Amino acid sequence: MYDPTVARLTYRALLGRRRALILFALPALLLLISVAIRLLTGADDEVATEVLGGFALATMVPLIGVIAGTGAIGPEIDDGSIVYLLAKPLKRPTIILTKLTVAIAVTMVFSAVPMLAAGFILNGNSGQIAVAYAVAAVAASVAYSAVFLLLGTVSRHAVVFGLIYALIWEALFGSLVAGARTLSVQQWALALAERTAPDAGITSDVGLTTAAVLLAVVTVAGTWYAGRKLRTLTLAGEE
């Protein structure tokens, strides 16, 4: 269910010059902010929680997820080059799972790793805050990658829809409307962070069991439907 050639092509597409600049810029900004805050205010658990939760998990992780998830397949569908890949003797689920694996790996590397490093810079991982948010970033990376890969498969405007979800639904409505938080990957990930660091003041509006189930359902359902849409795309091309 994993093809090295598809993976290599996907990595090459995601780490191309334009996308790589954005992927590197966001973590670099987080680390720069963390260093500046540590130099100005010293180690502070509350500040660390605000930076890692308010900026990194709420903004950086979903944006990287949008870039990696949609970029793993969307451009190939837009320019028609996906036809050459579909002409190979590969099962469609293998293509989707390979691209999902690459998108998850890229999202984790550019979000969870900088998150962990930023946490150690901010407060030396006091209260397990750095580890907790890194765990949350890993979980969010998986779900975001599946959701945005699905968007890249079903829509030519996947990046726009992804940004709407990440910046408007989660960041705006999630902060204003309590009910919207239940359908937020960010809140599901925060539930894991809350359990990892119970004394760090991290809170989520979703229980741990509910969050784990929703993360699994969204990931599996998004991957399955993306594979189904890819088969439909093949049939349309053959016709």
Side-chain angles (χ1 to χ4, degrees):
M1 303 304 289
Y2 179 87
D3 186 84
T5 301
V6 175
R8 185 173 63 254
L9 294 173
T10 306
Y11 276 118
R12 186 180 301 172
L14 287 179
L15 300 178
R17 185 174 302 175
R18 184 182 302 175
R19 288 189 180 87
L21 287 175
I22 301 175
L23 288 172
F24 279 103
L26 290 171
L29 178 61
L30 171 64
L31 295 175
L32 181 62
I33 291 173
S34 300
V35 170
I37 291 175
R38 180 62 185 265
L39 291 175
L40 292 174
T41 65
D44 189 306
D45 291 359
E46 184 177 350
V47 172
T49 300
E50 291 177 355
V51 172
L52 297 179
F55 169 68
L57 187 62
T59 303
M60 185 188 77
V61 179
L63 286 179
I64 291 175
V66 170
I67 297 169
T70 61
I73 195 169
E76 291 177 297
I77 294 177
D78 290 343
D79 62 21
S81 61
I82 190 69
V83 174
Y84 299 100
L85 183 60
L86 297 177
K88 303 294 183 182
L90 291 172
K91 294 181 179 180
R92 304 306 175 253
T94 298
I95 296 174
I96 289 297
L97 287 174
T98 300
K99 288 183 173 294
L100 176 63
T101 301
V102 172
I104 291 173
V106 170
T107 307
M108 284 185 181
V109 168
F110 285 94
S111 62
V113 175
M115 184 95 74
L116 184 64
F120 274 94
I121 292 171
L122 287 165
N123 73 339
N125 193 36
S126 172
Q128 292 293 305
I129 291 176
V131 172
Y133 276 105
V135 169
V138 167
S141 296
V142 176
Y144 281 133
S145 296
V147 170
F148 298 136
L149 179 67
L150 172 61
L151 285 177
T153 306
V154 302
S155 173
R156 292 182 177 274
H157 306 289
V159 174
V160 175
F161 290 131
L163 292 175
I164 289 174
Y165 174 80
L167 299 180
I168 297 181
W169 177 263
E170 290 207 338
L172 181 59
F173 285 103
S175 63
L176 299 175
V177 183
R181 299 180 192 130
T182 305
L183 300 177
S184 168
V185 174
Q186 177 190 344
Q187 291 297 322
W188 305 342
L190 279 174
L192 300 180
E194 183 180 1
R195 174 57 63 91
T196 304
D199 300 322
I202 303 172
T203 60
S204 171
D205 290 345
V206 182
L208 179 62
T209 301
T210 302
V213 171
L214 289 174
L215 284 168
V217 168
V218 165
T219 302
V220 172
T223 305
W224 170 79
Y225 195 68
R228 182 178 178 183
K229 291 301 293 182
L230 196 60
R231 285 195 295 269
T232 303
L233 179 67
T234 305
L235 292 174
E238 290 173 350
E239 291 175 356

